[in-house]
Amino acid sequence: MELNMDYPFYDIEKKWQKIWQDREIAKGTDFSSKPKYYVLSMFPYPSGVLHIGHASNYAIGDAISRLKLMEGYNVMQPMGYDSFGMPAENYAIMHNSHPRITTEENIANMRKQFDGMGFFFDWDREVSTCRPDYYHWGQYIFKKMYENGLVYRKKSFQNWCEQCNTVLANEQVEDGACWRCGSEVIQKELEQWYFRITKYAEELLDFSDVIEWPERVMTMQKHWIGKSEGARIEFTLPDTEESIAVFTTRPDTIYGVTFMALPPEHPLVQKWLEEEPENHAMHDFCKKVINEDKVLRSSTETEKEGIFSGRYCINPLNGDKVQIWITNYVLMDYGTGAVMAVPAHDQRDFDFATKYGIPMKIVIQNPENNLHLDSMREAFIEPGIMASSAHFDGMPSEEAKSVITDWIAKNNWGEKTVTYRLRDWGISRQRYWGNPIPIIHCPKCGVVLVPDEDLPVLLPDNVQVGKTTSNPLLSVPEWLNVKCPKCGADAKRETDTMDTFVDSSWYYARYADAHNKDLPFDTEKSDFWLPVDQYIGGIEHACMHLLYARFFYKFMRDLGWVNGNEPFLRLLTQGMVLKDGAKMSKSKGNTVDPQYIVDRFGSDTLRVYLLFASPPEKDVEWNDEALMGAFRFLNRIHRLIEGNLETIKKGLQLEADTDKLSPEMKKLLFSSHSCTKKWLEDSLDRMQYNTSIAAIMEHLNHCVAIKDADNLDNDALAVYAEACGIIPQMLYPFAPHIAEELWQMMGFETLLHESGLPGYEERYLVQDTITYVVQVNGKIRGKLEMSPDSPHEILKEEALKVENVQRALDGFEVVKVIVVPSKMVSIAAKAKR
RNA sequence: GCGAAAGUGGCGGAAUUGGCAGACGCGCUGGACUUAGGAUCCAGUAGGUUCACUCCUGUAGGGGUUCGAGUCCCCUCUUUCGCACCA
């Protein structure tokens, strides 16, 4: 007897990994006549070791892929490496090596671990963003963007991380700290390259072409884009040609403007500073504010400060002379970078005006409680009735918004306009390990694109990584100095590299044609594979990667390279694996090494544990004992089938006459079909694998409950064999190795997925009797075994006869009896008087 | 401050359309077997009450709709996440 032994997971897993590889089951076939299904799990940064988060992410992708494979799709799930970027550069510095070497070593290590997990990946399509055959085409796309007016260079104050020695996009700053290293972000003035993502702002707000995205992610993106509708209005400066444009969402308050608020960075302010070098107060104030931490400055907590500029502008609607103030609370890069301040109806302006004694004017009256300037403790920001606003008086303010905007437009003072919170995407990074921007700076021709035939601009190897404080690429003269491709003059290469989010904005398309040497990808192939049917990854990418990738997709669509409007039709944001309630991290010392688990218990156990612990989008708390539960579960299955193998094989040849079954075997038959039904719904429709696995466990319990299977008669044997036989089928997406092994043991010669999905028959779900619950006034007072087609009248009668029900009705009279078909009889009663 | 989501046994979680709350697993308790094993098998496991049948309470708290509410509505609390001077 071998009952005490664990099933031989190691041999089984190695055996099937080899067979799958030889049979190329994970190969996505270009232009196959079968319907395609493109599953994509976010590619990892090659740290060299798989962590538990990867295992969890890829276990989900594997389950989806194998389910779709069983369904008969031409499934493609590729894998690659997001291998450019600061971590790789820092890792190399730490190991006193070169990122090209350490990255390739790490990739080789991870590949070994991936293979040991038995994941369903089409490795023929592997990409690694740091290899020239990939980044070549990133440069090519950059050029296409440039040619289409989506790339520009601008000097401005940037989020700068001292630790990483580079610029960060707004999305990459979290609570004033660098998203990667967590150190403080400062402001530094730099000239850098931008992608004009704002051109697509409106379209990025539209999610009508995605099939299934979490509401949360769409909301986060919508907030991030931050559309607001309002008016742009020009305030002229008397005795000059100049004017100040403001953006406001409250044109209804324009008669209440009592001052104009500008940030020190405003071009007019800069001009005044030049004109008045001796105005020390103004110079000092502007200098102080500009040098202030941008995050601190843009916090609601910060005390509002300002200085009167000594200048005035004219409110075009009423001709009022309005003081112009330079302040610390207006943002240069939102709207027009200037605010018409209406202290009576905006809290920020109210605070500022109160501090500096600037007058206020009520122009929206509260219809419920008349406002008086003397008694106002805060701004009135609600809608109300127009007042002191010339011929608009008496109009509801909500209505006045559009009426006044029309009036402004009609008089040429401004126009209706829309503003977005989304800024253009700064892609320059002052680091070595990234994709070089294919630009040459020529003293004569200016900015020149590197010609296609000279692509890729290869990243030089001989850089002293980590030894420079400025751009590392500046230290390689033989790379830096080139001839201008246009005029042949001595010129210099651009030394910024691209943000790694550029690399990951189009990798899903490269997978469709990963080895193309002439183009990023062939359109016929992208048309076949794209868009991605199911994307799986972490929620942390909601406003960065997922927004950038959508932007790139829309651009590639405009070039005619891809079809449709969205790259990812369905998105699953998987939860994190936690330990002791916290995210696993080396610094906290609460990590779990998936390789250790695989070595000890096998990949199948790890996957079943991760998938069973909670629904995919929720976090999972790591629990060693629950992991053992998963291992025991697989052992139980193995024991059931191996221990009854001959019986099962014999039974599989038989056909059951289901009318002749014992009640016990009828129950088992019902379990086979009802559990399969639940499994199908939970696996395919709901993608809730924890309950799919629960259905298998439940069914397994029913199978194990049949003792002495070899003594069953032929009808029972057939039912028993079928019941055992569907277990490997249902197990396949979650524990594919053991499933294949058991399937083969039972004598099937095909690979498991080739048999298709397990099915169920409705006729076996019909039971002779149903347990009806009988309620009296909402409380359960009895049960009733009745046939499912019993007439309602009979059910009511029988329900009232139940002893316990009668007792509950003592002293009550029945008001109403309700029958819920196949479920219950509910009796409403009230006390007799 | 604004916005969103969530709150169910000792734990992870289930309950899909308002219809037997706690499926399934972990842990725990008792028993069987023994080759003494992160084994296996059987029984139990929300709380209270009872010898038992029964009964009562129970899905963060309070109120409401309904024959019937974990599920729908209103209020409060807590937690998590996102945004945060965006004019």
Side-chain angles (χ1 to χ4, degrees):
Chain A
M1 289 286 273
E2 291 181 322
L3 282 179
N4 297 346
M5 280 179 61
D6 295 337
Y7 83 98
F9 60 87
Y10 182 84
D11 295 337
I12 292 174
E13 295 192 354
K14 284 285 159 287
K15 168 182 165 184
W16 288 99
Q17 283 159 14
K18 171 125 197 348
I19 293 172
W20 293 332
Q21 203 178 340
D22 293 346
R23 299 276 296 268
E24 296 188 317
I25 67 158
K27 195 178 170 69
T29 311
D30 294 343
F31 313 120
S32 154
S33 57
K34 280 199 262 178
K36 68 96 185 180
Y37 202 88
Y38 183 178
V39 181
L40 183 62
S41 301
M42 289 181 185
F43 62 173
Y45 156 70
S47 62
V49 282
L50 281 185
H51 58 70
I52 206 87
H54 294 129
S56 148
N57 194 176
Y58 303 139
I60 297 166
D62 199 77
I64 295 173
S65 299
R66 290 183 194 265
L67 280 163
K68 289 291 161 188
L69 194 67
M70 289 177 106
E71 267 192 278
Y73 284 92
N74 172 25
V75 178
M76 196 267 278
Q77 184 182 213
M79 187 40 65
Y81 304 95
D82 189 17
S83 47
F84 262 144
M86 291 178 289
E89 195 169 333
N90 294 337
Y91 182 93
I93 293 168
M94 212 166 70
H95 290 80
N96 204 16
S97 181
H98 190 279
R100 184 176 315 285
I101 297 164
T102 54
T103 300
E104 289 302 333
E105 283 170 0
N106 284 348
I107 287 176
N109 280 334
M110 287 183 91
R111 176 60 194 274
K112 239 180 266 166
Q113 296 193 347
F114 273 130
D115 287 345
M117 295 288 305
F119 286 136
F120 184 100
F121 290 136
D122 186 348
W123 286 110
D124 290 348
R125 296 172 188 271
E126 176 186 307
V127 303
S128 174
T129 57
C130 73
R131 294 181 189 146
D133 66 346
Y134 183 81
Y135 71 69
H136 180 160
W137 303 109
Q139 295 174 8
Y140 183 84
I141 294 171
F142 176 97
K143 287 187 62 185
K144 288 285 169 211
M145 284 208 164
Y146 192 97
E147 287 160 2
N148 284 276
L150 290 170
V151 180
Y152 65 97
R153 202 155 63 131
K154 185 176 81 176
K155 193 170 189 178
S156 66
F157 283 92
Q158 293 303 321
N159 306 304
W160 178 269
C161 174
E162 285 285 333
Q163 184 79 33
C164 302
N165 217 12
T166 193
V167 151
L168 299 169
N170 285 331
E171 292 88 340
Q172 294 164 9
V173 180
E174 293 168 352
D175 291 327
C178 172
W179 74 292
R180 235 183 222 297
C181 73
S183 60
E184 200 194 341
V185 172
I186 61 159
Q187 295 305 306
K188 191 165 172 174
E189 193 170 32
L190 283 165
E191 180 150 44
Q192 71 151 13
W193 292 96
Y194 287 87
F195 282 168
R196 213 181 288 280
I197 189 172
T198 51
K199 193 186 161 196
Y200 288 86
E202 191 59 42
E203 217 198 323
L204 289 166
L205 281 170
D206 177 9
F207 288 89
S208 54
D209 288 324
V210 303
I211 294 175
E212 216 174 311
W213 269 45
E215 204 56 51
R216 192 152 73 107
V217 176
M218 292 191 285
T219 309
M220 278 166 72
Q221 288 202 2
K222 282 177 191 165
H223 286 173
W224 190 262
I225 295 165
K227 180 180 182 173
S228 60
E229 294 180 61
R232 203 187 59 87
I233 306 163
E234 298 268 348
F235 283 58
T236 52
L237 274 72
D239 312 320
T240 70
E241 296 289 293
E242 284 152 351
S243 67
I244 299 171
V246 299
F247 170 73
T248 181
T249 56
R250 294 295 304 273
D252 51 324
T253 63
I254 189 156
Y255 285 89
V257 173
T258 56
F259 67 102
M260 174 71 63
L262 299 183
E265 294 90 347
H266 195 279
L268 269 181
V269 176
Q270 293 292 318
K271 189 170 161 245
W272 298 336
L273 288 170
E274 275 175 41
E275 286 169 5
E276 298 177 48
E278 76 296 342
N279 187 340
H280 295 300
M282 194 157 91
H283 273 271
D284 289 351
F285 177 77
C286 291
K287 203 173 157 190
K288 182 184 142 239
V289 173
I290 287 178
N291 287 334
E292 218 165 44
D293 184 337
K294 200 174 178 180
V295 176
L296 201 83
R297 182 174 149 194
S298 65
S299 154
T300 17
E301 312 292 306
T302 309
E303 171 88 18
K304 288 171 184 48
E305 289 177 351
I307 186 169
F308 178 49
S309 70
R311 290 167 171 81
Y312 296 86
C313 58
I314 303 296
N315 183 339
L317 274 83
N318 57 9
D320 274 4
K321 215 171 136 191
V322 177
Q323 316 171 10
I324 302 174
W325 284 69
I326 304 166
T327 71
N328 66 344
Y329 75 97
V330 175
L331 306 172
M332 186 58 225
D333 51 4
Y334 181 76
T336 59
V339 170
M340 61 173 225
V342 186
H345 305 292
D346 182 285
Q347 192 56 42
R348 296 154 299 186
D349 300 340
F350 184 92
D351 295 343
F352 190 86
T354 307
K355 178 169 176 180
Y356 290 99
I358 301 170
M360 303 190 193
K361 193 175 155 194
I362 293 169
V363 292
I364 311 277
Q365 261 303 345
N366 183 351
E368 278 147 39
N369 187 4
N370 218 30
L371 299 168
H372 298 282
L373 279 179
D374 315 334
S375 58
M376 271 177 94
R377 306 288 297 272
E378 57 180 16
F380 177 70
I381 56 173
E382 313 292 319
I385 302 298
M386 301 293 291
S388 308
S389 298
H391 57 285
F392 300 105
D393 282 3
M395 191 184 280
S397 62
E398 287 299 301
E399 194 182 313
K401 279 185 181 173
S402 60
V403 175
I404 290 184
T405 306
D406 291 346
W407 174 249
I408 288 167
K410 201 175 152 196
N411 288 284
N412 267 332
W413 296 321
E415 74 227 329
K416 189 176 168 177
T417 186
V418 171
T419 295
Y420 301 90
R421 206 185 76 104
L422 181 72
R423 311 288 151 79
D424 279 336
W425 173 15
I427 58 137
S428 285
R429 294 293 177 273
Q430 293 68 37
R431 294 289 293 225
Y432 163 62
W433 195 238
N435 194 357
I437 293 173
I439 292 276
I440 290 167
H441 298 281
C442 169
K444 288 182 196 155
C445 313
V447 167
V448 181
L449 287 170
V450 175
D452 283 352
E453 59 270 23
D454 294 342
L455 293 184
V457 176
L458 288 170
L459 198 58
D461 270 336
N462 55 335
V463 170
Q464 297 232 296
V465 182
K467 301 275 166 66
T468 53
T469 48
S470 59
N471 276 17
L473 288 174
L474 280 168
S475 68
V476 193
E478 64 275 25
W479 180 87
L480 181 67
N481 297 310
V482 285
K483 299 289 179 200
C484 170
K486 262 193 192 162
C487 70
D490 285 342
K492 288 195 190 303
R493 289 192 189 279
E494 171 63 54
T495 57
D496 285 349
T497 52
M498 293 187 226
D499 182 0
T500 54
F501 279 112
V502 176
D503 307 322
S504 54
S505 291
W506 69 282
Y507 76 116
Y508 49 86
R510 179 69 178 177
Y511 282 136
D513 189 12
H515 304 292
N516 198 317
K517 289 191 165 54
D518 307 312
L519 285 169
F521 48 89
D522 180 83
T523 301
E524 278 186 28
K525 288 185 183 170
S526 61
D527 281 349
F528 180 78
W529 287 112
L530 292 172
V532 172
D533 295 284
Q534 179 69 60
Y535 198 28
I536 306 144
I539 184 83
E540 66 273 19
H541 292 110
C543 284
M544 295 197 267
H545 165 61
L546 289 167
L547 193 63
Y548 298 145
R550 292 179 65 223
F551 160 53
F552 261 59
Y553 199 81
K554 290 171 197 301
F555 168 65
M556 294 193 290
R557 171 207 60 197
D558 292 346
L559 292 179
W561 291 2
V562 295
N563 274 329
N565 297 316
E566 295 288 343
F568 316 121
L569 296 181
R570 293 176 197 81
L571 174 68
L572 194 155
T573 48
Q574 109 270 20
M576 282 186 303
V577 183
L578 308 176
K579 200 178 174 206
D580 312 321
K583 196 175 170 175
M584 289 187 193
S585 72
K586 274 186 208 148
S587 57
K588 287 198 203 90
N590 63 343
T591 54
V592 172
D593 176 13
Q595 190 59 52
Y596 173 82
I597 308 293
V598 171
D599 293 343
R600 256 12 242 271
F601 307 106
S603 163
D604 285 341
T605 291
L606 178 59
R607 293 158 175 242
V608 166
Y609 166 71
L610 290 168
L611 294 169
F612 181 62
S614 71
E617 56 285 338
K618 282 187 72 175
D619 289 349
V620 181
E621 173 70 30
W622 183 264
N623 179 334
D624 284 317
E625 271 147 351
L627 175 80
M628 291 314 299
F631 188 51
R632 276 201 293 269
F633 165 61
L634 295 182
N635 270 305
R636 254 156 74 88
I637 293 177
H638 195 267
R639 218 178 304 127
L640 169 75
I641 292 179
E642 196 186 37
N644 296 285
L645 195 55
E646 292 316 310
T647 312
I648 293 168
K649 277 176 153 175
K650 189 175 150 204
L652 285 170
Q653 311 302 319
L654 299 169
E655 196 77 32
D657 181 345
T658 53
D659 293 335
K660 294 183 183 163
L661 294 173
S662 65
E664 189 187 31
M665 295 313 290
K666 272 192 180 161
K667 220 175 103 188
L668 185 64
L669 180 68
F670 177 75
S671 170
S672 295
H673 290 264
S674 60
C675 289
T676 301
K677 184 177 187 213
K678 174 143 184 59
W679 180 89
L680 285 166
E681 286 167 1
D682 290 350
S683 307
L684 296 172
D685 306 338
R686 300 209 297 154
M687 294 211 286
Q688 191 172 283
Y689 305 122
N690 55 333
T691 50
S692 311
I693 294 170
I696 307 173
M697 289 174 170
E698 208 173 330
H699 180 59
L700 174 67
N701 289 341
H702 289 131
C703 293
V704 169
I706 308 292
K707 304 293 175 193
D708 302 322
D710 31 347
N711 295 332
L712 295 171
D713 64 42
N714 280 358
D715 292 318
L717 206 56
V719 169
Y720 180 74
E722 187 205 23
C724 295
I726 59 176
I727 291 175
Q729 286 186 289
M730 294 198 285
L731 198 58
Y732 180 69
F734 317 121
H737 307 87
I738 185 174
E740 291 271 26
E741 179 70 13
L742 296 173
W743 188 248
Q744 191 185 55
M745 273 166 60
M746 290 191 301
F748 294 99
E749 280 164 18
T750 56
L751 290 179
L752 217 162
H753 70 264
E754 291 164 344
S755 69
L757 289 166
Y760 65 93
E761 290 184 51
E762 287 290 347
R763 64 187 167 124
Y764 295 131
L765 298 176
V766 180
Q767 289 174 293
D768 297 343
T769 62
I770 283 182
T771 308
Y772 287 86
V773 171
V774 185
Q775 285 187 352
V776 178
N777 286 341
K779 293 209 165 90
I780 296 155
R781 295 300 176 194
K783 296 193 177 173
L784 208 51
E785 283 291 320
M786 298 283 285
S787 122
D789 45 16
S790 310
H792 287 189
E793 285 315 309
I794 306 284
L795 280 170
K796 287 180 186 176
E797 240 169 72
E798 291 298 320
L800 290 167
K801 278 191 214 154
V802 174
E803 194 195 330
N804 218 17
V805 172
Q806 295 223 319
R807 199 172 343 141
L809 286 172
D810 190 32
F812 284 81
E813 65 181 310
V814 174
V815 180
K816 196 158 72 166
V817 183
I818 297 153
V819 175
V820 183
S822 305
K823 289 217 166 102
M824 62 159 38
V825 181
S826 183
I827 299 163
K830 66 175 182 192
K832 277 185 194 152
R833 316 185 26 133

